[in-house]
Every structure is written in C-alpha cells, then in structure tokens.
Amino acid sequence: MVIVPTLHGERHSPDMRASISGISAGSLSLGNVYRKLSHGIISNMFDMLPAEDLHQAGIEKIIGCGTAFIKNLFIQERAKTMSNLPLVMCKEQNAAAGAVFATFLSGGEPQKKLLDSF
C-alpha cells in the first residue's frame, strides 16, 4: 500500500492530490496504515528536497520540529535513514519553528552558531 498525503497539493504542484493505492484486505491494519502514512509524509519531504541536494548544499544535520517529527519515531528514523544526516529534535512542537530555523541557514556564521545550539 502507498499513501500520498498531499491533500492540498504542494507549492511546486498545487494540483497534486492525496491518494492511496495498493490496498488489500491484509494492508488495512491500523499499524500498517500509520506506517504507510508516516512513510508518505517523509517521502514527500525528500521528494521536494532530495538528500543529494542537502549534501551538495553543505547541510550537516536535520532539525526536526513540529508534532509529526517529535511524536513519530518512524518519521524520525526515516528522516535519518533517507538523508544520511544526524537528526536534532526541537523542543518546540510548533512546525512553524522549523520555518524560522530555515531562514537562518542563509544568514551567515552568527545564525549558524544559534542553530548549532538546538
């Protein structure tokens, strides 16, 4: 079973819609649906920004913010595996905090030192 969780599209593809394919009687357990949805979320993230691009840009770690990252161990493990980078978790559960951290990445050395504290 494959779950594509893009209910409202993405900025690069606003017409994209969510879908579920490959459903079978044996694939509908709550645990399996949870894992497949989690895999779809993290796969979507790396479809938009592949690990190769992260490495080429000199990114040294992923900072996980938001409830999905903080409470979902499967997403945490997949992020580390798919990126081959260390994952540092925010204490803040608001995903908007991740957007704020991302703005620092282009800001030079003082901002990078701030990011290193997370």
Side-chain angles (χ1 to χ4, degrees), residues 28-108:
L28 291 176
S29 71
L30 182 58
N32 191 51
V33 171
Y34 178 80
R35 281 187 302 279
K36 296 297 183 175
L37 178 58
S38 297
H39 179 75
I41 290 168
I42 199 72
S43 293
N44 183 54
M45 184 175 91
F46 284 104
D47 285 347
M48 291 187 290
L49 189 57
E52 298 80 31
D53 292 353
L54 295 172
H55 293 281
Q56 287 176 359
I59 302 299
E60 297 174 356
K61 63 184 169 185
I62 293 178
I63 300 174
C65 295
T67 303
F69 257 113
I70 291 170
K71 294 187 176 184
N72 189 322
L73 296 177
F74 182 84
I75 286 180
Q76 291 175 24
E77 289 304 316
R78 292 296 296 160
K80 288 188 278 190
T81 301
M82 292 177 81
S83 68
N84 199 26
L85 292 169
L87 176 65
V88 178
M89 299 305 298
C90 290
K91 294 179 181 126
E92 176 65 45
Q93 290 192 16
N94 186 343
V100 171
F101 293 141
T103 63
F104 282 107
L105 293 177
S106 62

